[in-house]
Amino acid sequence: MTSSAAFTPRNGLLYGLMGLPLAFVALPLYVVLPNHYATTLGVPLALLGPLLLAARLLDGVVDPLLGRWGDRLFATSRRAVLAVAAGAALLMALGFAGLFFPWASTPQGLLLWAGALLVLTYTAYSTLGVLHQSWAALLGGSEAERSRIVAWREGLGLVGVVTASVAPVLLGLPATVGLLVLGLAGGWWAWSRSVAPSTQAAAAHASPAALWQPWRNPAFRRLLAVFLLNGIASAVPATLVLFFVQDRLQAAAALQPLFLATYFICAALSIPLWLKVVERLGLARTWLVGMGLSVISFVGASLLGAGDSTAFLLVCVASGAALGTDLALPSALLAGVVKDAKHDGVGGNATGLYFGWWNFATKLNLALAAGLALPLLALAGYTPGAQDAPALRALSAVYCLLPCVLKALAAAALYLLIVRPTHEVSP
């Protein structure tokens, strides 16, 4: 089966559908779960916070190991990959349900329960995610083709994010768990019927690589440097958006879901448009354009104050459109790095490892963003609910301008490390 078969709309849907439940499960785990344990189950935040941090750090550390295991599975057979994916999906669904419906009742018991099930759920989630990403990378193809297959996954993932943002409120937690189970079952069924990597791609995994092998690839190191800078720039406002909406804009609570939904929906709608730009400019230059749009959006947000909810909705539209490039293009660039590595002999048998380290960087971005933004706000004198002018200026600076600085650094790195070298070697 040729790789071009991977890029039909039908196969994009079959492969990408698993992206929906994977994104669906992430939002409740990161947003709803802490609030549920603190307010409904009565677990002190002072104890809950370190537990969540430890579980997330452990999750990131095991990703490269899961990636190497994934390489062994791809070397075995397509059936082995899908069998492990089915087991991971089952464990993730059980862990997710157990987290929201614990069998413990005391704070200490709840902490132990949550710790064990968080490790189970995160590990299953990471296993499924690494296998799913590696599958697409092994399909190969041109830049435009790689961006399309990734766009199906990320676009359907955005549908999962939007659904997860309203399901717990509108349907309740039991129905949310049921939706996840249905999504995982349907996503696995569709994935199992999508086009598989070629036998040549699988044969390249005959000898799984050393854990650090992707780091020997200069192209991977350059791309990861850009990805880390850009990821922190995107994660900082994600960490602080509710503080900005509540205290700087003083917007009604009913508007908060509207802002978030607008942001993610515009990201999803923008992806097909960005793919058209990729055909003209290529992946790296299109990502550069998206970074520029993001900077413009957050500079505009820095000018807003109390009552500017309509203007902030426009910021959500523009920054959501910029997010489309962050979702669809970096993974497609990484797939190109993996493809080139096979030809050059630099880590070509380490597809799962590449995505394992990539996922580790994604989780590190979230941790670094919280570790950078929240202490800066505290040092500047901001506390949630503050209304004095210096505190609000500090909030705007960290929410709006710090991401602009980081995004500008990411754009400079993208140009100097990837765009310009590529241009110089072009005929």
Side-chain angles (χ1 to χ4, degrees):
M1 186 176 294
T2 63
S3 64
S4 62
F7 307 104
T8 64
R10 177 182 180 275
N11 192 65
L13 176 62
L14 288 174
Y15 164 76
L17 194 60
M18 180 56 82
L20 193 156
L22 282 170
F24 182 95
V25 75
L27 188 68
L29 285 179
Y30 283 99
V31 178
V32 179
L33 184 71
N35 180 265
H36 179 67
Y37 270 70
T39 61
T40 304
L41 302 179
V43 178
L45 284 176
L47 299 176
L48 185 61
L51 173 69
L52 294 173
L53 177 61
R56 291 169 185 173
L57 288 176
L58 178 62
D59 176 41
V61 168
V62 302
D63 273 344
L65 299 174
L66 293 173
R68 184 161 62 176
W69 183 39
D71 287 330
R72 293 192 177 100
L73 291 172
F74 277 102
T76 302
S77 69
R78 170 180 182 268
R79 180 175 297 178
V81 172
L82 291 171
V84 171
L90 176 61
L91 290 176
M92 187 171 71
L94 291 173
F96 184 87
L99 282 167
F100 285 100
F101 299 98
W103 290 1
S105 56
T106 65
Q108 294 80 5
L110 285 167
L111 283 172
L112 290 173
W113 177 270
L117 289 189
L118 278 170
V119 170
L120 171 68
T121 307
Y122 282 155
T123 303
Y125 173 86
S126 296
T127 301
L128 193 58
V130 166
L131 294 177
H132 195 234
Q133 290 172 309
S134 298
W135 185 287
L138 288 168
L139 292 173
S142 67
E143 281 198 345
E145 289 170 330
R146 295 197 309 272
S147 64
R148 283 200 293 272
I149 199 73
V150 171
W152 273 103
R153 182 182 71 220
E154 299 300 336
L156 288 164
L158 286 171
V159 175
V161 169
V162 174
T163 305
S165 68
V166 299
V169 177
L170 297 182
L171 304 177
L173 287 174
T176 300
V177 172
L179 281 177
L180 174 62
V181 172
L182 289 175
L184 287 170
W188 184 90
W189 179 88
W191 180 14
S192 68
R193 281 152 180 77
S194 70
V195 65
S198 68
T199 55
Q200 291 86 353
H205 289 69
S207 297
L211 188 63
W212 297 96
Q213 185 162 326
W215 291 94
R216 299 170 187 163
N217 187 342
F220 176 71
R221 296 197 300 269
R222 290 192 294 267
L223 180 59
L224 194 67
V226 177
F227 182 69
L228 280 168
L229 280 170
N230 185 73
I232 299 170
S234 299
V236 166
T239 302
L240 302 179
V241 61
L242 293 182
F243 298 111
F244 186 83
V245 169
Q246 292 164 359
D247 294 338
R248 183 62 176 172
L249 300 182
Q250 299 179 30
L255 289 177
Q256 294 175 19
L258 175 63
F259 294 142
L260 293 176
T262 299
Y263 177 70
F264 289 117
I265 289 171
C266 287
L269 294 176
S270 74
I271 288 177
L273 302 178
W274 288 120
L275 295 183
K276 294 294 184 182
V277 180
V278 168
E279 294 176 0
R280 296 179 61 86
L281 299 182
L283 287 168
R285 288 180 175 83
T286 303
W287 193 15
L288 200 60
V289 173
M291 290 181 183
L293 177 59
S294 180
V295 170
I296 293 170
S297 303
F298 281 97
V299 168
S302 70
L303 305 176
L304 304 182
D308 291 333
S309 295
T310 301
F312 186 68
L313 197 62
L314 297 177
V315 169
C316 292
V317 171
S319 59
L323 175 66
T325 61
D326 289 341
L327 293 173
L329 305 189
S331 289
L333 281 166
L334 178 58
V337 169
V338 174
K339 177 185 176 184
D340 292 341
K342 294 175 188 174
H343 295 299
D344 300 338
V346 186
N349 61 338
T351 301
L353 267 176
Y354 277 101
F355 281 98
W357 283 111
W358 190 260
N359 288 346
F360 168 76
T362 300
K363 292 159 187 174
L364 183 62
N365 284 339
L366 293 170
L368 289 175
L372 178 66
L374 297 178
L376 276 177
L377 282 178
L379 285 173
Y382 170 80
T383 56
Q387 292 298 313
D388 56 291
L392 293 179
R393 283 197 297 270
L395 177 60
S396 288
V398 178
Y399 173 76
C400 303
L401 300 182
L402 176 61
C404 289
V405 172
L406 293 169
K407 188 74 76 167
L409 290 173
L414 176 62
Y415 177 77
L416 293 173
L417 297 178
I418 298 176
V419 173
R420 190 170 71 175
T422 302
H423 177 73
E424 289 174 350
V425 301
S426 298

